[in-house]
């Protein structure tokens, strides 16, 4: 899909599972392209070589989300990481209205130079304070998620539910998604779970069916995924007994359709 118009490759570490970055960086190098990693699901995860996701000098930049649904939160917002000092300095300007302060203390701190037209994308001090505390808990949060994934795998491994995305040890375990058997209505299973106060969900509606990118082209694999994929609850607000209960309700729902 690379053409003369291509400027960058944007891999997504979907559900917290690391993308095959070795191959992506190789393709980017061959075609002189930048790599911008979408790490919204991946905070706390690792590349295949064991180094933290978002910290590689091989990528132009990496973006993280701290939305409440992610592994840690600042209530809203996120960060961009980069190993390139020039990009870092430019991002500081873009974040701060294109303003460069002339000094960090003294009277000159009040003076600044306007370097470019930009927006105001500051994280508030309150959000940062929440994020710092959350960051100290990230390792334990990811560990809890990993144990929950292992519990799901154990309880569902002999069922008709198929694990849609396999989590390696390097995952941040952000989402757990199963595929329902083709003869079963995902929406009906979703309703059964929700009636039992189990917050199942779906990730994500298809772009080619949205108003902005709507097309008449049929993408059969994506559309099949959309009809049968179900996201199950995952996170440090749950304990392993909760996972057992969710699986019991899920497995019982199969009997309703047999």
């Amino acid at each position: 899909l690379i053409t003369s118009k291509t400027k960058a490759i944007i891999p997504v570490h979907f559900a917290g599972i690391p993308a095959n970055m070795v191959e992506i960086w190789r393709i980017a190098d061959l075609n002189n392209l930048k790599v911008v990693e979408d790490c919204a699901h991946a905070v706390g995860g690792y590349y295949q070589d064991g180094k933290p996701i978002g910290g590689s000098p091989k990528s132009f930049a990496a973006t993280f989300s701290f939305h409440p649904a992610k592994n840690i939160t600042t209530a809203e917002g996120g960060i961009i990481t980069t190993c390139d000092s020039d990009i870092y300095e430019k991002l500081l300007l873009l974040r701060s209205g294109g303003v460069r302060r002339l000094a960090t203390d003294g009277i000159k701190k009040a003076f600044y130079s306007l370097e470019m037209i930009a927006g105001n994308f500051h994280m508030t001090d309150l959000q940062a304070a929440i994020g710092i505390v959350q960051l100290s808990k990230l390792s334990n949060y990811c560990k809890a998620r990993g144990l929950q994934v292992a519990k799901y795998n154990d309880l569902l491994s002999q069922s008709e539910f198929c694990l849609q995305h396999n989590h390696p040890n390097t995952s941040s375990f952000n989402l757990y998604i199963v595929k329902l058997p083709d003869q079963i209505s995902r929406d009906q299973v979703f309703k059964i779970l929700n009636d039992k106060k189990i917050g199942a969900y779906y990730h994500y509606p298809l772009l080619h069916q949205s108003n902005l990118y709507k097309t008449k082209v049929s993408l059969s694999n994506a559309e099949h995924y959309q009809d049968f994929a179900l996201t199950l609850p995952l996170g440090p607000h749950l304990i392993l007994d909760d996972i057992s209960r969710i699986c019991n309700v899920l497995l019982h729902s199969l009997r309703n359709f047999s």
Side-chain angles (χ1 to χ4, degrees):
L1 297 178
I2 293 172
T3 71
S4 59
K5 294 182 179 180
T6 306
K7 302 298 182 184
I9 301 173
I10 307 178
V12 181
H13 301 294
F14 184 75
I17 301 166
N20 185 353
M21 295 308 301
V22 172
E23 181 66 7
I24 289 168
W25 285 322
R26 185 189 70 80
I27 294 169
D29 286 343
L30 284 174
N31 293 276
N32 195 28
L33 299 173
K34 306 291 187 184
V35 174
V36 179
E37 298 178 54
D38 181 342
C39 307
H41 292 174
V43 61
Y46 298 87
Y47 298 119
Q48 285 83 354
D49 64 3
K51 294 179 180 177
I53 282 178
S56 175
K58 297 176 183 177
S59 290
F60 181 79
T63 63
F64 291 86
S65 169
F66 296 145
H67 179 274
K70 302 305 187 286
N71 286 22
I72 59 173
T73 186
T74 55
E76 190 52 276
I79 60 169
I80 302 173
T81 60
T82 180
C83 294
D84 187 309
S85 59
D86 290 338
I87 298 168
Y88 171 73
E89 292 296 332
K90 186 170 183 178
L91 285 170
L92 290 182
L93 289 174
L94 288 169
R95 180 191 67 177
S96 306
V99 167
R100 189 187 303 281
R101 295 283 171 182
L102 300 184
T104 57
D105 54 21
I107 188 63
K108 291 218 171 202
K109 183 179 178 182
F111 292 84
Y112 53 81
S113 171
L114 188 59
E115 304 284 331
M116 65 170 63
I117 297 172
N120 182 347
F121 303 106
H122 285 110
M123 178 183 287
T124 67
D125 288 350
L126 181 59
Q127 287 174 295
I130 293 170
I132 288 170
V133 174
Q134 287 272 293
L135 194 59
S136 70
K137 300 178 180 181
L138 176 59
S139 179
N140 287 336
Y141 285 169
C142 289
K143 182 178 179 181
R145 287 172 173 272
L147 291 173
Q148 291 167 23
V149 165
K151 186 74 170 178
Y152 272 130
N153 288 347
D154 180 52
L155 295 176
L156 299 178
S157 62
Q158 302 302 315
S159 74
E160 296 179 60
F161 295 106
C162 176
L163 179 61
Q164 191 68 50
H165 307 281
N166 291 305
H167 288 270
N169 291 334
T170 51
S171 176
S172 66
F173 307 104
N174 183 248
L175 297 176
Y176 190 86
I177 300 172
V178 293
K179 179 184 178 294
L180 275 64
D182 287 359
Q183 72 274 17
I184 292 179
S185 165
R186 190 273 315 283
D187 292 355
Q188 286 183 277
V189 174
F190 177 87
K191 185 178 186 307
I192 290 171
L193 292 173
N194 273 237
D195 287 346
K196 297 286 187 179
K197 307 300 182 184
I198 295 172
Y201 209 62
Y202 168 71
H203 297 83
Y204 289 96
L206 301 179
L207 285 179
H208 76 286
Q209 294 179 346
S210 66
N211 286 335
L212 183 59
Y213 295 107
K214 199 170 187 68
T215 174
K216 293 181 180 178
V217 174
S218 176
L219 301 176
S220 58
N221 287 337
E223 289 157 13
H224 185 267
Y225 177 94
Q226 178 171 253
D227 289 341
F228 295 98
L230 182 70
T231 303
L232 299 178
L234 197 66
H237 60 296
L238 302 172
I239 60 175
L240 294 182
D241 284 348
D242 294 322
I243 306 302
S244 296
R245 175 176 173 267
I246 293 165
C247 289
N248 285 335
V249 173
L250 190 62
L251 292 170
H252 182 73
S253 72
L254 281 178
R255 292 193 282 274
N256 292 341
F257 298 98
S258 60

